[in-house]
Amino acid sequence: ARYRDEAATLPHADRIVFPGGVPPHEILPLIASADVSAMPVQGDTLNHRLNTPTKLFDAMGAGVPVVASDLPGMGPIVRETGCGELCDPDDPSSIAAAIRRLLDAPPERRAAYRAAALAAARGPYAWERQAETLLALYDGLRLPAEPPAR
């Protein structure tokens, strides 16, 4: 409620949406309707620093450019794919500048962000490719021959 109240006071309040719970089959169309998908996760815990949120992959799959924290979990993916811009999540002006770079980009640059996001989602970050990697990792794990002695 606090965020809704604060958002209502902003000059662009009519462009801020709090969709609430979304059925899985409606997630990609909803994300695809956005201009930017922002995930300025603060790196205040190890989990947050290494986090690669599903939201990042959803945005790529919908062809929506991202603004993500320049942290070890997300930064390399955004850099490698070119699907968006990175920001310092502890600096509001850095977050705003990254969003501005996307929103103010010329149409051909916005199309390039979209193409990069879709190429990543259909290529190296497609579930089929990631599943192969995950299954290979599982295959490489070795269980102890016998349970440890107590």
Side-chain angles (χ1 to χ4, degrees):
R2 185 179 112 211
Y3 296 121
R4 288 178 198 275
D5 292 345
E6 187 174 333
T9 68
L10 299 172
H12 50 281
D14 60 323
R15 296 182 61 201
I16 299 172
V17 177
F18 295 88
V22 178
H25 68 278
E26 293 178 16
I27 291 173
L28 283 183
L30 181 64
I31 293 170
S33 72
D35 295 317
V36 173
S37 182
M39 50 209 82
V41 177
Q42 293 181 316
D44 52 353
T45 68
L46 183 60
N47 181 57
H48 288 163
R49 290 187 54 71
L50 302 178
N51 181 29
T52 49
T54 302
K55 183 177 181 179
L56 173 61
F57 302 108
D58 287 343
M60 290 189 317
V64 175
V66 303
V67 168
S69 298
D70 194 3
L71 297 173
M74 292 183 279
I77 294 170
V78 174
R79 244 184 239 98
E80 168 197 327
T81 64
C83 69
E85 297 287 335
L86 295 171
C87 67
D88 175 350
D90 296 317
D91 179 1
S93 64
S94 175
I95 298 166
I99 293 170
R100 228 353 71 210
R101 284 193 299 276
L102 292 176
L103 294 177
D104 292 344
E108 59 277 359
R109 182 66 186 122
R110 289 190 55 79
Y113 283 123
R114 176 177 168 71
L118 291 171
R122 294 174 181 157
Y125 293 100
W127 172 243
E128 296 79 13
R129 309 264 174 354
Q130 292 298 307
E132 291 168 7
T133 302
L134 182 61
L135 291 174
L137 175 69
Y138 288 164
D139 284 343
L141 296 176
R142 301 285 178 235
L143 296 176
E146 296 180 26
R150 291 191 180 242

